[in-house]
Amino acid sequence: MPELPEVEALKDFLTDHLVGHEIVRMLPVAISVLKTYDPPLSAVEGHEVVAVHRYGKFLDVETDGGPHLVTHLARAGWLQWKDRLPDGPPRPGKGPLALRVALETGAGFDLTEAGTQKRLAVYVVPDPQQVPGVARLGPDPLADDFDEARFTALLQGERRRLKGALRDQSLIAGVGNAYSDEILHAAKMSPFKLAASLTPEETRRLYEALRTTLTEAVERSRGLAAGRLKAEKKSGLRVHGRTGEPCPVCGDTIREVSFSDSSLQYCPTCQTGGKPLADRRLSRLLK
Ligand SMILES: [Zn+2]
């Protein structure tokens, strides 16, 4: 799933490739991805792209005088750029293609979604704040004004464990399952530590891990073509998705805790005092 760093890189990529160009055709293939119906998808056609924005994990293509095209790629969605789109309309029901956006130059991009769980979402709205998921977003952790005092204030009264709190888009925008594992590993904290139990020193450590982890991931991704971002994300992760591999910091074996629809990875030596987290008992606690 693309998270803040990858969506930030996609924003840069699309800014370079879309701004100044006219969207001439919107070709929906999987109608279910469209979450709004008024204005229609076609209302974007004939408008020039003036800017591309990121809100959390949402991408917003702003047009001159037309509506915004907002998308959330979700777990298995992706954006594929094409310098030359194929001739002829795409066929529905074949493969992962959900939506094709064509420019006046013949270039454009496809939004695709792999797998059977369909969560990719597209919104056509006069104002991006009309997208419920955008309106609910908490502060962006890379914003200039997201300082340690702001982070400390956010955690005050937070009753959840760190793993759940960091992933909550209404608390902090843009961090998902992968980067929350990475941030907690960098901060040397258990994913099940209670947010309310952090000392001021620990809060500072977690804040620094959050900013550093995301900033480094953005730097690695910046300037990469859309097609290379997934591989870059994977290669940059130290613990997430690396169950059974050695921790790059201490060499201990990275372990995981599984849930019904996801899993987390951590290093026992770095994060939990050497003790493996019990899978079943603690997975209940996270709910
Ligand atoms: Zn370690």
Side-chain angles (χ1 to χ4, degrees), residues 185 188 247-252 267-271:
H185 179 253
K188 298 193 184 302
C247 168
V249 173
C250 73
D252 193 4
C267 168
T269 294
C270 290
Q271 295 176 257

Side-chain angles (χ1 to χ4, degrees), residues 146-154 207:
F146 191 87
D147 55 14
E148 197 187 316
R150 186 125 191 242
F151 182 64
T152 304
L154 280 181
Y207 170 77

Side-chain angles (χ1 to χ4, degrees), residues 99-181:
L99 174 71
R100 174 164 291 165
V101 179
L103 303 180
E104 89 286 2
T105 56
F109 63 87
D110 287 344
L111 294 180
T112 61
E113 187 171 33
T116 52
Q117 281 192 335
K118 298 302 179 190
R119 293 186 186 168
L120 173 69
V122 173
Y123 310 81
V124 177
V125 283
D127 177 349
Q129 289 297 321
Q130 291 170 314
V131 175
V134 172
R136 277 198 301 269
L137 288 174
D140 194 281
L142 293 188
D144 290 340
D145 64 352
F146 191 87
D147 55 14
E148 197 187 316
R150 186 125 191 242
F151 182 64
T152 304
L154 280 181
L155 290 187
Q156 256 159 23
E158 174 56 60
R159 303 165 76 102
R160 287 169 295 183
R161 290 163 202 279
L162 291 177
K163 175 71 181 178
L166 286 175
R167 284 181 68 182
D168 179 358
Q169 300 304 295
S170 60
L171 189 75
I172 298 167
V175 176
N177 198 29
Y179 286 102
S180 54
D181 280 355

Side-chain angles (χ1 to χ4, degrees), residues 194-267:
L194 285 167
S197 75
L198 295 186
T199 64
E201 189 279 321
E202 287 172 326
T203 303
R204 178 174 308 127
R205 187 144 48 95
L206 185 59
Y207 170 77
E208 277 163 11
L210 169 73
R211 292 273 284 203
T212 305
T213 301
L214 294 175
T215 303
E216 287 178 358
V218 168
E219 291 306 319
R220 281 196 307 270
S221 304
R222 210 182 278 288
L224 288 184
R228 287 182 52 205
L229 285 170
K230 256 195 267 194
E232 176 52 46
K233 176 186 178 186
K234 203 158 182 259
S235 71
L237 298 174
R238 294 172 155 204
V239 285
H240 184 77
R242 299 200 179 276
T243 306
E245 294 180 31
C247 168
V249 173
C250 73
D252 193 4
T253 302
I254 293 164
R255 291 180 177 258
E256 77 173 11
V257 179
S258 305
F259 309 97
S260 57
D261 61 349
S262 69
S263 63
L264 67 79
Q265 282 81 32
Y266 68 100
C267 168

